[in-house]
Coordinates of all heavy atoms in Angstrom, one line a residue:
M1 N 110.3 144.3 105.7 CA 111.6 144.7 106.1 C 112.7 144.3 105.0 O 112.7 143.2 104.5 CB 112.0 144.0 107.4 CG 113.4 144.2 107.9 SD 113.7 143.3 109.4 CE 113.5 144.7 110.5
K2 N 113.5 145.3 104.7 CA 114.5 145.0 103.6 C 115.7 144.3 104.2 O 116.1 144.5 105.3 CB 115.0 146.4 103.1 CG 114.1 147.0 102.1 CD 114.8 148.2 101.5 CE 113.8 148.9 100.5 NZ 114.5 150.0 99.8
T3 N 116.1 143.3 103.4 CA 117.3 142.6 103.8 C 118.6 143.3 103.2 O 118.5 144.2 102.4 CB 117.3 141.1 103.3 OG1 117.3 141.2 101.8 CG2 116.0 140.4 103.7
I4 N 119.7 142.8 103.6 CA 121.0 143.3 103.1 C 121.0 143.1 101.6 O 121.4 144.0 100.8 CB 122.2 142.7 103.8 CG1 122.3 143.1 105.2 CG2 123.5 143.0 103.0 CD1 123.3 142.4 106.0
W5 N 120.5 141.9 101.1 CA 120.5 141.6 99.7 C 119.6 142.6 98.9 O 119.9 143.1 97.9 CB 120.0 140.2 99.4 CG 119.7 139.9 98.0 CD1 118.5 139.6 97.4 CD2 120.6 140.0 96.9 NE1 118.6 139.5 96.1 CE2 119.9 139.7 95.7 CE3 122.0 140.3 96.8 CZ2 120.5 139.7 94.4 CZ3 122.6 140.2 95.5 CH2 121.9 140.0 94.4
D6 N 118.4 143.0 99.5 CA 117.5 143.9 98.9 C 118.2 145.3 98.7 O 118.1 145.9 97.6 CB 116.3 144.1 99.7 CG 115.4 142.9 99.8 OD1 115.3 142.1 98.8 OD2 114.6 142.8 100.8
N7 N 118.9 145.7 99.7 CA 119.7 147.0 99.7 C 120.8 146.9 98.6 O 121.0 147.9 97.9 CB 120.2 147.4 101.0 CG 119.1 147.8 102.0 OD1 118.1 148.3 101.6 ND2 119.4 147.5 103.3
L8 N 121.5 145.8 98.6 CA 122.6 145.6 97.6 C 122.0 145.6 96.2 O 122.5 146.3 95.3 CB 123.4 144.4 97.9 CG 124.5 144.0 96.9 CD1 125.5 145.2 96.9 CD2 125.1 142.7 97.2
K9 N 120.9 144.9 96.0 CA 120.3 144.8 94.7 C 119.8 146.1 94.2 O 120.0 146.5 93.1 CB 119.1 143.8 94.7 CG 118.5 143.5 93.4 CD 117.5 142.3 93.4 CE 117.0 142.0 92.1 NZ 116.0 141.0 92.1
E10 N 119.1 146.9 95.1 CA 118.7 148.2 94.8 C 119.8 149.1 94.4 O 119.7 149.9 93.4 CB 117.9 148.8 96.0 CG 117.1 150.1 95.7 CD 116.2 150.5 96.8 OE1 115.6 149.6 97.5 OE2 116.2 151.7 97.1
S11 N 120.9 149.0 95.1 CA 122.1 149.8 94.8 C 122.7 149.4 93.4 O 123.1 150.3 92.6 CB 123.1 149.7 95.9 OG 124.3 150.4 95.6
L12 N 122.8 148.1 93.2 CA 123.3 147.7 91.9 C 122.4 148.1 90.7 O 122.9 148.6 89.7 CB 123.4 146.1 91.9 CG 124.6 145.5 92.6 CD1 124.4 144.0 92.6 CD2 125.8 145.9 91.9
I13 N 121.1 148.0 90.9 CA 120.2 148.5 89.8 C 120.3 150.0 89.6 O 120.4 150.4 88.4 CB 118.7 148.1 90.2 CG1 118.5 146.6 90.1 CG2 117.7 148.8 89.3 CD1 117.1 146.1 90.6
S14 N 120.4 150.7 90.6 CA 120.6 152.2 90.5 C 121.9 152.5 89.7 O 121.9 153.3 88.8 CB 120.6 152.8 91.9 OG 120.9 154.2 91.7
T15 N 123.0 151.8 90.1 CA 124.3 152.0 89.4 C 124.2 151.6 87.9 O 124.6 152.3 87.0 CB 125.4 151.2 90.1 OG1 125.5 151.7 91.4 CG2 126.7 151.4 89.4
F16 N 123.6 150.4 87.7 CA 123.5 149.9 86.3 C 122.6 150.9 85.5 O 122.9 151.2 84.3 CB 122.9 148.5 86.3 CG 123.8 147.4 86.5 CD1 124.9 147.5 87.3 CD2 123.7 146.2 85.8 CE1 125.8 146.5 87.5 CE2 124.6 145.1 86.0 CZ 125.6 145.3 86.8
N17 N 121.5 151.4 86.1 CA 120.6 152.2 85.4 C 121.3 153.6 85.0 O 121.2 154.1 83.9 CB 119.4 152.5 86.2 CG 118.3 153.2 85.4 OD1 118.0 152.8 84.3 ND2 117.7 154.2 85.9
S18 N 122.1 154.1 86.0 CA 122.8 155.4 85.7 C 123.8 155.2 84.6 O 124.1 156.2 83.9 CB 123.5 155.9 87.0 OG 124.5 155.1 87.4
L19 N 124.3 154.0 84.4 CA 125.3 153.7 83.3 C 124.6 153.3 82.0 O 125.3 153.0 81.0 CB 126.3 152.7 83.8 CG 127.2 153.0 85.0 CD1 128.0 151.8 85.4 CD2 128.1 154.2 84.6
G20 N 123.3 153.1 82.0 CA 122.6 152.7 80.9 C 122.7 151.2 80.7 O 122.5 150.7 79.6
L21 N 123.1 150.4 81.7 CA 123.3 149.0 81.6 C 122.1 148.2 82.2 O 122.1 146.9 82.2 CB 124.6 148.6 82.3 CG 125.8 149.2 81.7 CD1 127.0 148.8 82.6 CD2 126.0 148.7 80.3
A22 N 121.1 148.8 82.8 CA 120.0 148.1 83.4 C 119.1 147.6 82.2 O 119.1 148.1 81.1 CB 119.2 149.1 84.3
W23 N 118.3 146.6 82.6 CA 117.3 146.1 81.6 C 116.0 146.7 81.8 O 115.5 147.0 82.9 CB 117.2 144.6 81.8 CG 118.5 143.9 81.4 CD1 119.6 143.6 82.1 CD2 118.8 143.4 80.1 NE1 120.6 143.0 81.4 CE2 120.1 142.8 80.1 CE3 118.1 143.4 78.9 CZ2 120.7 142.2 79.0 CZ3 118.7 142.8 77.8 CH2 120.0 142.2 77.9
W24 N 115.3 147.0 80.7 CA 113.9 147.6 80.7 C 113.0 146.8 79.8 O 113.4 146.2 78.8 CB 114.0 149.0 80.2 CG 114.7 149.9 81.2 CD1 116.0 150.1 81.4 CD2 114.0 150.8 82.1 NE1 116.2 151.0 82.4 CE2 115.0 151.5 82.8 CE3 112.7 151.1 82.3 CZ2 114.7 152.5 83.7 CZ3 112.4 152.1 83.3 CH2 113.4 152.7 84.0
V25 N 111.7 146.8 80.2 CA 110.7 146.2 79.3 C 110.1 147.4 78.5 O 109.6 148.3 79.1 CB 109.6 145.5 80.1 CG1 108.5 145.0 79.2 CG2 110.2 144.4 80.9
E26 N 110.2 147.3 77.2 CA 109.6 148.4 76.3 C 108.4 147.7 75.7 O 108.4 146.7 75.1 CB 110.6 148.7 75.2 CG 110.0 149.7 74.2 CD 110.9 149.9 73.0 OE1 111.1 148.9 72.3 OE2 111.5 151.0 72.9
I27 N 107.3 148.4 75.9 CA 106.0 147.9 75.3 C 105.4 149.0 74.4 O 105.2 150.2 74.9 CB 105.0 147.5 76.4 CG1 105.5 146.4 77.3 CG2 103.7 147.1 75.8 CD1 104.6 146.0 78.4
V28 N 105.2 148.7 73.2 CA 104.6 149.6 72.2 C 103.2 149.1 71.9 O 103.0 147.9 71.6 CB 105.5 149.7 70.9 CG1 104.8 150.6 69.9 CG2 106.9 150.1 71.2
T29 N 102.2 150.0 72.0 CA 100.9 149.6 71.6 C 100.4 150.4 70.4 O 100.8 151.6 70.3 CB 99.9 149.9 72.8 OG1 99.9 151.3 73.2 CG2 100.3 149.1 74.0
Q30 N 99.7 149.8 69.6 CA 99.2 150.5 68.4 C 97.9 151.3 68.6 O 97.7 152.3 68.0 CB 98.9 149.4 67.3 CG 100.1 148.7 66.8 CD 101.2 149.6 66.3 OE1 101.0 150.5 65.5 NE2 102.4 149.5 66.9
N31 N 97.1 150.8 69.6 CA 95.9 151.6 69.9 C 95.7 151.5 71.4 O 95.4 150.4 71.9 CB 94.7 151.0 69.2 CG 93.4 151.8 69.4 OD1 93.5 153.0 69.8 ND2 92.3 151.3 69.2
P32 N 96.0 152.5 72.2 CA 96.5 153.8 71.7 C 97.9 153.7 71.3 O 98.6 152.8 71.7 CB 96.3 154.7 73.0 CG 96.5 153.8 74.1 CD 95.9 152.5 73.7
R33 N 98.4 154.7 70.5 CA 99.8 154.7 70.0 C 100.7 155.2 71.2 O 100.8 156.4 71.3 CB 99.9 155.5 68.8 CG 99.2 154.9 67.6 CD 99.5 155.6 66.3 NE 100.9 155.8 66.0 CZ 101.7 154.9 65.5 NH1 101.2 153.7 65.2 NH2 102.9 155.2 65.2
C34 N 101.2 154.3 71.9 CA 102.0 154.6 73.1 C 103.2 153.7 73.2 O 103.2 152.6 72.7 CB 101.2 154.5 74.4 SG 99.9 155.7 74.6
T35 N 104.3 154.2 73.8 CA 105.4 153.4 74.2 C 105.6 153.6 75.7 O 105.6 154.7 76.2 CB 106.7 153.9 73.4 OG1 106.5 153.9 72.0 CG2 107.9 153.1 73.8
Y36 N 105.7 152.4 76.3 CA 105.9 152.4 77.8 C 107.2 151.7 78.1 O 107.6 150.7 77.5 CB 104.8 151.5 78.4 CG 103.4 152.0 78.1 CD1 102.7 151.4 77.0 CD2 102.7 152.9 78.9 CE1 101.4 151.8 76.7 CE2 101.4 153.3 78.6 CZ 100.8 152.8 77.5 OH 99.5 153.1 77.2
Y37 N 107.9 152.2 79.1 CA 109.1 151.6 79.7 C 108.8 151.2 81.1 O 108.4 152.0 81.9 CB 110.3 152.5 79.6 CG 110.7 152.7 78.1 CD1 110.2 153.8 77.4 CD2 111.5 151.9 77.5 CE1 110.6 154.1 76.1 CE2 111.9 152.1 76.2 CZ 111.4 153.2 75.5 OH 111.8 153.4 74.2
F38 N 109.1 149.9 81.5 CA 109.0 149.4 82.8 C 110.3 148.9 83.3 O 111.0 148.1 82.6 CB 107.9 148.3 82.9 CG 106.6 148.8 82.4 CD1 106.1 148.6 81.2 CD2 105.7 149.3 83.4 CE1 104.9 149.0 80.8 CE2 104.4 149.7 83.0 CZ 104.0 149.6 81.7
G39 N 110.7 149.3 84.5 CA 112.0 148.8 85.0 C 112.5 149.8 86.0 O 111.7 150.6 86.5
P40 N 113.7 149.9 86.3 CA 114.8 149.0 85.7 C 114.9 147.7 86.4 O 114.5 147.5 87.5 CB 116.0 149.9 86.0 CG 115.7 150.6 87.3 CD 114.2 150.9 87.2
F41 N 115.6 146.8 85.7 CA 115.8 145.4 86.2 C 117.3 145.1 86.1 O 118.0 145.6 85.3 CB 115.1 144.4 85.4 CG 113.6 144.5 85.4 CD1 112.9 145.3 84.5 CD2 112.9 143.9 86.4 CE1 111.6 145.4 84.5 CE2 111.5 144.0 86.5 CZ 110.8 144.8 85.5
L42 N 117.8 144.2 87.0 CA 119.2 143.9 87.1 C 119.6 142.9 85.9 O 120.7 142.9 85.4 CB 119.5 143.2 88.4 CG 121.0 143.1 88.8 CD1 121.7 144.4 88.7 CD2 121.1 142.5 90.2
S43 N 118.6 142.1 85.5 CA 118.9 141.1 84.5 C 117.7 141.0 83.5 O 116.6 141.4 83.8 CB 119.1 139.7 85.1 OG 117.9 139.2 85.6
S44 N 118.0 140.5 82.3 CA 116.9 140.3 81.3 C 115.9 139.3 81.8 O 114.7 139.4 81.5 CB 117.5 139.9 79.9 OG 118.2 138.7 80.0
A45 N 116.4 138.3 82.6 CA 115.5 137.3 83.1 C 114.5 137.9 84.1 O 113.3 137.5 84.0 CB 116.3 136.2 83.8
D46 N 114.9 138.8 84.9 CA 114.0 139.5 85.8 C 113.0 140.3 85.1 O 111.8 140.3 85.4 CB 114.8 140.4 86.8 CG 115.6 139.7 87.8 OD1 115.4 138.5 88.0 OD2 116.5 140.4 88.4
A47 N 113.4 141.0 84.0 CA 112.5 141.8 83.2 C 111.5 140.9 82.5 O 110.3 141.2 82.5 CB 113.3 142.6 82.2
K48 N 111.9 139.7 82.0 CA 111.0 138.8 81.3 C 109.9 138.2 82.2 O 108.8 138.0 81.8 CB 111.8 137.7 80.6 CG 112.5 138.2 79.4 CD 113.4 137.2 78.8 CE 114.2 137.8 77.6 NZ 115.2 136.8 77.1
V49 N 110.3 138.0 83.5 CA 109.3 137.5 84.4 C 108.3 138.5 84.7 O 107.1 138.2 84.8 CB 110.1 137.1 85.8 CG1 109.1 136.8 86.9 CG2 110.9 135.8 85.6
A50 N 108.7 139.8 84.8 CA 107.7 140.8 85.1 C 106.8 141.3 84.0 O 105.7 141.8 84.2 CB 108.5 142.1 85.6
L51 N 107.3 141.1 82.7 CA 106.6 141.7 81.6 C 105.2 141.1 81.4 O 104.3 141.9 80.9 CB 107.4 141.6 80.3 CG 107.6 140.2 79.6 CD1 106.4 139.8 78.7 CD2 108.8 140.3 78.7
K52 N 104.9 139.9 81.8 CA 103.6 139.3 81.6 C 102.5 140.2 82.4 O 101.5 140.5 81.8 CB 103.5 137.9 82.2 CG 102.2 137.2 82.0 CD 102.2 135.8 82.5 CE 100.9 135.2 82.4 NZ 100.8 133.9 83.0
G53 N 102.8 140.6 83.6 CA 101.9 141.5 84.3 C 101.7 142.8 83.7 O 100.5 143.3 83.7
Y54 N 102.7 143.4 83.1 CA 102.5 144.7 82.4 C 101.6 144.5 81.2 O 100.7 145.3 81.0 CB 103.9 145.2 82.0 CG 104.9 145.5 83.1 CD1 106.2 145.1 82.9 CD2 104.5 146.0 84.3 CE1 107.1 145.3 84.0 CE2 105.4 146.2 85.3 CZ 106.7 145.9 85.1 OH 107.6 146.0 86.2
V55 N 101.8 143.4 80.4 CA 101.0 143.2 79.2 C 99.6 142.9 79.7 O 98.6 143.5 79.1 CB 101.6 142.0 78.4 CG1 100.6 141.6 77.3 CG2 102.9 142.4 77.8
E56 N 99.4 142.1 80.7 CA 98.0 141.9 81.2 C 97.3 143.2 81.6 O 96.1 143.3 81.3 CB 98.0 140.9 82.3 CG 98.3 139.5 81.9 CD 98.5 138.5 83.1 OE1 98.4 138.9 84.2 OE2 98.7 137.3 82.8
D57 N 98.0 144.0 82.3 CA 97.4 145.3 82.7 C 97.0 146.2 81.5 O 95.9 146.7 81.5 CB 98.4 146.1 83.6 CG 98.6 145.5 85.0 OD1 97.8 144.7 85.4 OD2 99.5 146.0 85.7
L58 N 97.8 146.2 80.5 CA 97.5 147.0 79.3 C 96.3 146.4 78.5 O 95.5 147.1 78.0 CB 98.7 147.1 78.4 CG 99.8 148.0 78.9 CD1 101.1 147.9 78.1 CD2 99.4 149.5 79.0
E59 N 96.3 145.0 78.5 CA 95.1 144.4 77.8 C 93.8 144.7 78.6 O 92.8 145.0 77.9 CB 95.4 142.9 77.7 CG 96.4 142.5 76.8 CD 96.8 141.0 76.8 OE1 96.5 140.3 77.8 OE2 97.3 140.5 75.8
V60 N 93.9 144.7 79.9 CA 92.7 145.0 80.7 C 92.2 146.4 80.4 O 91.0 146.7 80.4 CB 92.9 144.8 82.2 CG1 91.9 145.4 83.1 CG2 93.1 143.3 82.5
E61 N 93.2 147.3 80.2 CA 92.9 148.7 79.9 C 92.4 148.9 78.5 O 92.1 150.0 78.1 CB 94.1 149.6 80.2 CG 94.4 149.7 81.7 CD 95.7 150.4 82.0 OE1 96.2 151.1 81.1 OE2 96.1 150.4 83.1
G62 N 92.4 147.8 77.6 CA 91.9 147.9 76.3 C 93.0 148.2 75.2 O 92.6 148.4 74.1
A63 N 94.2 148.1 75.6 CA 95.3 148.4 74.6 C 95.3 147.3 73.5 O 95.0 146.1 73.9 CB 96.7 148.5 75.3
Q64 N 95.6 147.6 72.3 CA 95.7 146.6 71.2 C 97.0 146.8 70.4 O 97.6 147.8 70.4 CB 94.5 146.9 70.3 CG 93.1 146.7 70.9 CD 92.0 147.1 70.0 OE1 92.2 147.9 69.1 NE2 90.8 146.5 70.3
G65 N 97.3 145.7 69.8 CA 98.6 145.7 69.0 C 99.8 145.9 69.8 O 100.6 146.7 69.6
I66 N 99.9 145.0 70.8 CA 101.0 145.1 71.8 C 102.3 144.4 71.4 O 102.2 143.2 71.1 CB 100.5 144.5 73.2 CG1 99.3 145.3 73.7 CG2 101.6 144.5 74.2 CD1 98.6 144.7 74.9
L67 N 103.4 145.1 71.3 CA 104.7 144.6 71.0 C 105.6 144.8 72.2 O 105.6 145.9 72.7 CB 105.2 145.3 69.8 CG 104.4 145.2 68.5 CD1 105.0 146.1 67.4 CD2 104.3 143.8 68.0
V68 N 106.3 143.7 72.5 CA 107.2 143.8 73.7 C 108.6 143.5 73.4 O 108.9 142.7 72.5 CB 106.7 142.7 74.7 CG1 107.6 142.7 76.0 CG2 105.3 142.8 75.1
N69 N 109.5 144.3 74.0 CA 110.9 144.1 73.8 C 111.6 144.3 75.1 O 111.3 145.3 75.8 CB 111.4 145.2 72.8 CG 112.9 145.0 72.4 OD1 113.4 143.9 72.4 ND2 113.5 146.0 71.9
V70 N 112.5 143.4 75.5 CA 113.4 143.5 76.7 C 114.7 144.0 76.2 O 115.3 143.3 75.4 CB 113.4 142.2 77.5 CG1 114.4 142.3 78.6 CG2 112.0 141.8 78.0
K71 N 115.2 145.1 76.7 CA 116.5 145.6 76.2 C 117.2 146.4 77.3 O 116.6 146.9 78.2 CB 116.3 146.4 75.0 CG 115.5 147.7 75.2 CD 115.3 148.4 73.8 CE 114.6 149.7 73.9 NZ 114.5 150.3 72.6
R72 N 118.5 146.6 77.1 CA 119.3 147.5 77.9 C 119.2 148.9 77.3 O 119.4 149.1 76.2 CB 120.8 147.1 77.9 CG 121.1 146.0 78.9 CD 122.5 145.7 79.0 NE 122.8 145.0 80.2 CZ 123.8 144.2 80.3 NH1 124.7 144.0 79.4 NH2 124.0 143.6 81.5
C73 N 118.8 149.8 78.2 CA 118.6 151.2 77.7 C 118.5 152.1 78.9 O 118.6 151.6 80.1 CB 117.4 151.3 76.8 SG 115.8 151.0 77.6
K74 N 118.3 153.3 78.7 CA 118.2 154.3 79.8 C 117.1 155.3 79.3 O 117.4 156.4 78.8 CB 119.5 155.0 80.1 CG 119.4 155.9 81.3 CD 120.8 156.5 81.5 CE 120.7 157.4 82.7 NZ 122.0 158.0 83.0
P75 N 115.8 154.9 79.4 CA 114.8 155.8 78.8 C 114.7 157.1 79.5 O 114.8 157.2 80.8 CB 113.5 155.0 79.0 CG 113.8 154.0 80.1 CD 115.3 153.7 80.0
G76 N 114.6 158.2 78.8 CA 114.5 159.5 79.3 C 113.0 159.8 79.8 O 112.8 160.6 80.7
T77 N 112.1 159.1 79.1 CA 110.7 159.3 79.4 C 110.1 157.9 79.5 O 110.4 157.0 78.6 CB 110.0 160.1 78.2 OG1 110.6 161.3 78.1 CG2 108.5 160.3 78.5
L78 N 109.2 157.7 80.5 CA 108.7 156.3 80.7 C 107.4 156.0 80.0 O 107.1 154.9 79.7 CB 108.5 156.1 82.2 CG 109.8 156.2 83.1 CD1 109.5 155.9 84.5 CD2 110.9 155.3 82.6
T79 N 106.7 157.0 79.6 CA 105.5 156.8 78.8 C 105.4 157.9 77.7 O 105.5 159.1 78.0 CB 104.2 156.9 79.7 OG1 104.3 156.0 80.7 CG2 103.0 156.7 78.8
I80 N 105.4 157.5 76.5 CA 105.2 158.4 75.3 C 103.9 158.1 74.7 O 103.7 157.0 74.1 CB 106.4 158.2 74.3 CG1 107.7 158.4 75.1 CG2 106.3 159.2 73.2 CD1 108.9 157.9 74.3
A81 N 103.0 159.0 74.8 CA 101.7 158.9 74.2 C 101.7 159.6 72.8 O 101.5 160.8 72.7 CB 100.6 159.5 75.1
E82 N 102.0 158.8 71.7 CA 102.2 159.4 70.4 C 101.0 160.0 69.8 O 101.1 161.1 69.1 CB 102.8 158.3 69.5 CG 104.2 157.9 69.9 CD 104.7 156.7 69.1 OE1 104.2 156.5 68.0 OE2 105.5 156.0 69.7
D83 N 99.8 159.5 70.1 CA 98.5 160.0 69.6 C 98.3 161.5 70.1 O 97.8 162.3 69.5 CB 97.3 159.2 70.0 CG 97.2 157.9 69.2 OD1 97.9 157.8 68.2 OD2 96.5 157.0 69.6
L84 N 98.8 161.7 71.4 CA 98.5 163.0 72.0 C 99.7 163.9 72.0 O 99.7 165.0 72.4 CB 98.1 162.7 73.5 CG 96.9 161.8 73.7 CD1 96.7 161.5 75.2 CD2 95.7 162.4 73.1
G85 N 100.9 163.4 71.5 CA 102.1 164.1 71.4 C 102.6 164.4 72.8 O 103.3 165.4 73.1
E86 N 102.3 163.5 73.8 CA 102.7 163.8 75.2 C 103.8 162.8 75.6 O 103.9 161.7 75.2 CB 101.5 163.5 76.1 CG 100.4 164.5 76.0 CD 99.2 164.2 77.0 OE1 99.4 163.4 77.8 OE2 98.2 164.9 76.8
R87 N 104.6 163.3 76.5 CA 105.5 162.5 77.2 C 105.2 162.6 78.7 O 105.1 163.7 79.2 CB 107.0 163.0 77.0 CG 107.4 162.9 75.5 CD 108.8 163.4 75.3 NE 109.1 163.3 73.9 CZ 109.8 162.2 73.4 NH1 110.2 161.2 74.2 NH2 110.1 162.2 72.2
I88 N 104.9 161.5 79.3 CA 104.4 161.4 80.6 C 105.5 160.7 81.5 O 105.9 159.6 81.2 CB 103.1 160.6 80.7 CG1 102.1 161.2 79.8 CG2 102.6 160.6 82.2 CD1 100.9 160.3 79.5
D89 N 106.0 161.4 82.5 CA 107.1 160.9 83.3 C 106.4 160.3 84.5 O 105.9 160.9 85.4 CB 108.1 162.0 83.7 CG 109.0 162.4 82.6 OD1 109.3 161.5 81.8 OD2 109.3 163.6 82.5
R90 N 106.5 158.9 84.6 CA 106.1 158.2 85.8 C 107.4 158.2 86.7 O 108.5 158.2 86.2 CB 105.7 156.8 85.5 CG 104.4 156.8 84.7 CD 104.0 155.3 84.4 NE 104.8 154.9 83.2 CZ 105.7 153.8 83.3 NH1 105.8 153.1 84.4 NH2 106.3 153.5 82.2
K91 N 107.2 158.1 88.0 CA 108.3 158.0 88.9 C 109.0 156.7 88.7 O 108.4 155.7 88.7 CB 107.9 158.2 90.3 CG 107.9 159.6 90.8 CD 107.9 159.6 92.3 CE 108.6 160.9 92.7 NZ 108.6 161.2 94.1
V92 N 110.3 156.7 88.6 CA 111.1 155.5 88.5 C 111.3 155.0 89.9 O 111.9 155.7 90.8 CB 112.4 155.7 87.8 CG1 113.2 154.4 87.8 CG2 112.2 156.1 86.4
K93 N 110.9 153.8 90.2 CA 111.3 153.2 91.5 C 111.6 151.7 91.3 O 111.0 151.1 90.4 CB 110.2 153.4 92.5 CG 109.0 152.5 92.5 CD 108.0 152.8 93.6 CE 107.0 151.7 93.8 NZ 106.1 151.9 94.8
P94 N 112.5 151.2 91.9 CA 112.9 149.8 91.7 C 111.7 148.9 91.8 O 110.8 149.1 92.7 CB 113.9 149.5 92.8 CG 114.5 150.8 93.2 CD 113.3 151.8 93.0
V95 N 111.6 147.9 90.9 CA 110.4 147.1 90.9 C 110.2 146.2 92.1 O 109.1 145.8 92.4 CB 110.5 146.2 89.6 CG1 110.4 147.0 88.4 CG2 111.7 145.4 89.6
F96 N 111.2 146.0 92.8 CA 111.1 145.1 94.0 C 110.9 145.8 95.3 O 110.7 145.2 96.3 CB 112.4 144.2 94.1 CG 113.6 145.1 94.2 CD1 114.0 145.6 95.4 CD2 114.3 145.3 93.0 CE1 115.2 146.4 95.4 CE2 115.5 146.1 93.1 CZ 115.9 146.7 94.3
S97 N 110.8 147.1 95.3 CA 110.8 147.9 96.5 C 109.5 147.7 97.3 O 109.5 147.8 98.5 CB 110.9 149.4 96.2 OG 109.8 149.9 95.5
G98 N 108.4 147.3 96.7 CA 107.2 147.1 97.5 C 106.9 145.6 97.7 O 105.8 145.3 98.1
L99 N 107.8 144.7 97.5 CA 107.5 143.3 97.5 C 107.6 142.7 99.0 O 107.1 141.7 99.2 CB 108.4 142.5 96.6 CG 108.2 142.8 95.1 CD1 109.2 141.9 94.3 CD2 106.8 142.5 94.7
M100 N 108.3 143.4 99.8 CA 108.5 142.8 101.2 C 107.4 143.1 102.1 O 106.8 144.0 102.2 CB 109.9 143.2 101.7 CG 111.0 142.6 101.0 SD 110.9 140.8 101.2 CE 112.4 140.3 100.6

């Protein structure tokens, strides 16, 4: 069940994201040559807490040469597979929406 705070936070993240002020985790892998964006987050601290899980998932999948950056941005594409010349759009949904 969502609380009032959850609804407010979701609204704030949506607003920040639409303005390009939300925080995102950008992960670039060398093998495969991909760039991934995870987010949006309300703060850099929230993004930094979540990034460990994203890196672990990519390592389990066999990704190598993983570089991580937490930054404010508004990615147009969430997954860019450079080896394949593909841009893969994953659905953006607030990271906290499934936690309750």
Side-chain angles (χ1 to χ4, degrees):
M1 175 180 260
K2 283 189 179 182
T3 66
I4 292 172
W5 170 244
D6 291 331
N7 290 330
L8 177 61
K9 187 174 181 181
E10 190 171 320
S11 179
L12 281 173
I13 289 173
S14 178
T15 300
F16 276 36
N17 192 48
S18 68
L19 297 172
L21 298 174
W23 291 90
W24 288 80
V25 176
E26 176 189 65
I27 300 178
V28 178
T29 59
Q30 297 304 308
N31 187 17
R33 291 186 55 78
C34 291
T35 302
Y36 304 93
Y37 291 94
F38 298 95
F41 297 92
L42 195 54
S43 70
S44 62
D46 290 345
K48 288 175 184 175
V49 168
L51 72 82
K52 182 180 177 185
Y54 302 136
V55 170
E56 287 174 357
D57 287 348
L58 289 169
E59 288 173 340
V60 166
E61 292 175 11
Q64 297 174 336
I66 298 172
L67 302 171
V68 180
N69 188 24
V70 173
K71 63 183 185 178
R72 278 188 161 150
C73 64
K74 188 177 178 182
T77 303
L78 300 181
T79 301
I80 303 167
E82 296 172 23
D83 285 345
L84 305 174
E86 292 182 7
R87 294 178 181 267
I88 304 162
D89 287 322
R90 292 179 281 121
K91 269 200 154 171
V92 176
K93 78 177 194 182
V95 293
F96 55 84
S97 64
L99 295 180
M100 289 298 190

